[in-house]
Amino acid sequence: MPEADELKAAQALVAAGMKEKALPLLWKLYGSTDLEIKIYAGLALLVALDQLTQTEKLLEVTDDTLAAAATLERREVRAYLHSKKAEFLAGKLSNLVYQQRNLTLAAGVFEWINFSLEEDKLEFAKLAEERTNLENEISSLEREVWVAIESTDDQYTRGHVYASLGEVSFTQYLSRRLAFAGGGRLRSRIMNSYWVRRWHLDNMIGYSGKARREIIALKDKCVALYRKAIKEFEAGPYKGDQAFALYRLAVKFEITYRFSLARRYLRKAKRLAEAENESSLLSAIKEVETALKDKNRHPRNYVEELGLDLPRALRKR
């Protein structure tokens, strides 16, 4: 079978939600000497790989695909890939913030020393340096992406870039909430109370005015970027992409306890997904509908799933 036909078959599998079945074929095509095939296989791999557990592999594929896109002078593809790289790095940064926070909490158990173990102190310093480097790289990528999309009228590219930048902002919002949270054990317990979080009182209790303004600004930025993405897709023949953007924005509203807005955007996403026969999206929408009925009382525990609550030697890598 020609590589072009194999690529179409792999893309169809990804679109149908059968990512594991698509991966062997995508990896084969990703090694093609035809750079056009390699680029599209790389783009499909960015969708097929798991963003939570395969960040390093995603970054490797992104960089390699960027090189191919540069060779073929594919400006729009490069803009999109830079935005995805910023998105993946933001996820990596979030993990570092969580690890740093754990170390400072461990230090708080022993009030007479700065850190519970010398090993923790060394790890904290290493994480702090890596975190600074990542923050600088993400900012640099964001600036580059904004310049790139201002020079293109391609609605598909602009929509996806806005969506990726929205993901960056939301990940930073979650990271800052964790990094900036202050107070002792009692305040932490109050902040983690369901009804305190449900009515956004944790923003008032646990953060300084400056920190509160920063985290709210990041959340608002995410919403604004996703609305831009939805508008770009709506203006073109990209109803499936519009449905996914609506769904992802609905998820952001659900996570932040804005249930009325979440339901509104989810209904729009569902109507479009049904019209476009997006079966994998409809399955994801069903899960969010269930979470909305529960009103976020039992959120998914990613910390436990990823092994971040385990000792360093036993964490998933």
Side-chain angles (χ1 to χ4, degrees):
M1 182 186 296
E3 286 186 332
D5 292 338
E6 288 183 319
L7 179 62
K8 288 179 182 177
Q11 289 171 329
L13 288 171
V14 173
M18 294 184 282
K19 297 177 181 179
E20 288 298 323
K21 191 173 180 180
L23 281 171
L25 186 52
L26 286 174
W27 283 120
K28 173 179 175 289
L29 295 168
Y30 181 65
S32 173
T33 55
D34 184 334
L35 291 184
E36 194 76 19
I37 294 291
K38 180 183 180 69
I39 287 170
Y40 281 104
L43 292 172
L45 281 169
L46 298 188
V47 179
L49 293 170
D50 190 319
Q51 192 165 335
L52 286 173
T53 61
Q54 295 178 291
T55 304
E56 295 301 329
K57 182 60 69 177
L58 283 163
L59 287 167
E60 181 183 322
V61 171
T62 302
D63 284 338
D64 200 20
T65 309
L66 268 168
T71 300
L72 295 186
E73 298 183 346
R74 298 289 300 276
R75 186 179 61 182
E76 286 82 6
V77 173
R78 292 184 70 223
Y80 170 73
L81 288 169
H82 279 133
S83 70
K84 293 302 291 184
K85 184 173 182 178
E87 183 181 335
F88 300 145
L89 289 175
K92 187 175 180 179
L93 177 62
S94 181
N95 188 11
L96 292 181
V97 171
Y98 181 83
Q99 292 180 52
Q100 273 193 309
R101 187 67 175 173
N102 270 357
L103 290 171
T104 56
L105 289 175
V109 174
F110 304 96
E111 296 181 0
W112 60 90
I113 57 175
N114 289 328
F115 287 87
S116 56
L117 296 170
E118 184 64 24
E119 182 183 1
D120 287 350
K121 184 176 181 180
L122 293 173
E123 183 175 357
F124 185 91
K126 181 180 178 181
L127 290 172
E129 182 180 0
E130 189 174 354
R131 179 179 165 185
T132 299
N133 291 337
L134 280 176
E135 287 172 342
N136 290 338
E137 186 172 2
I138 291 168
S139 295
S140 176
L141 285 166
E142 285 184 297
R143 287 192 297 271
E144 189 170 345
V145 167
W146 277 112
V147 171
I149 61 171
E150 285 174 0
S151 63
T152 181
D153 295 324
D154 188 294
Q155 292 166 327
Y156 184 80
T157 299
R158 290 170 67 91
H160 279 287
V161 167
Y162 285 141
S164 281
L165 293 177
E167 288 296 324
V168 172
S169 294
F170 194 74
T171 302
Q172 290 174 328
Y173 159 76
L174 295 176
S175 297
R176 298 291 200 282
R177 281 184 61 85
L178 180 60
F180 293 161
R185 187 178 303 174
L186 177 60
R187 182 178 293 186
S188 295
R189 289 182 65 182
I190 294 171
M191 284 176 64
N192 286 314
S193 165
Y194 173 78
W195 289 107
V196 169
R197 288 182 286 117
R198 171 70 178 84
W199 298 109
H200 308 288
L201 298 174
D202 51 335
N203 288 338
M204 303 299 297
I205 295 170
Y207 301 93
S208 68
K210 181 180 178 182
R212 183 164 56 250
R213 286 190 295 273
E214 183 173 336
I215 60 177
I216 290 174
L218 284 167
K219 180 176 64 175
D220 291 345
K221 182 180 177 183
C222 165
V223 172
L225 284 163
Y226 258 106
R227 284 175 173 158
K228 280 178 175 285
I230 291 164
K231 188 175 180 180
E232 292 288 342
F233 292 137
E234 187 176 17
Y238 310 113
K239 303 308 176 187
D241 299 281
Q242 184 187 351
F244 274 96
L246 287 162
Y247 158 76
R248 292 187 181 113
L249 182 52
V251 170
K252 306 300 183 288
F253 285 134
E254 182 257 329
I255 290 172
T256 54
Y257 299 89
R258 300 167 75 181
F259 300 125
S260 178
L261 283 167
R263 291 189 189 94
R264 186 192 309 171
Y265 278 87
L266 204 63
R267 284 194 296 268
K268 293 178 181 179
K270 189 173 184 177
R271 284 197 296 269
L272 278 175
E274 288 172 341
E276 296 295 312
N277 196 27
E278 294 281 359
S279 56
S280 61
L281 178 56
L282 287 169
S283 297
I285 288 171
K286 189 174 181 180
E287 289 184 17
V288 180
E289 287 175 333
T290 301
L292 283 170
K293 289 177 184 177
D294 184 58
K295 290 195 173 180
N296 236 358
R297 286 184 174 87
H298 303 91
R300 186 173 172 183
N301 190 343
Y302 290 103
V303 170
E304 184 177 327
E305 284 185 36
L306 298 177
L308 296 175
D309 55 340
L310 297 173
R312 276 182 292 272
L314 299 178
R315 289 178 193 154
K316 293 179 183 179
R317 297 188 184 277

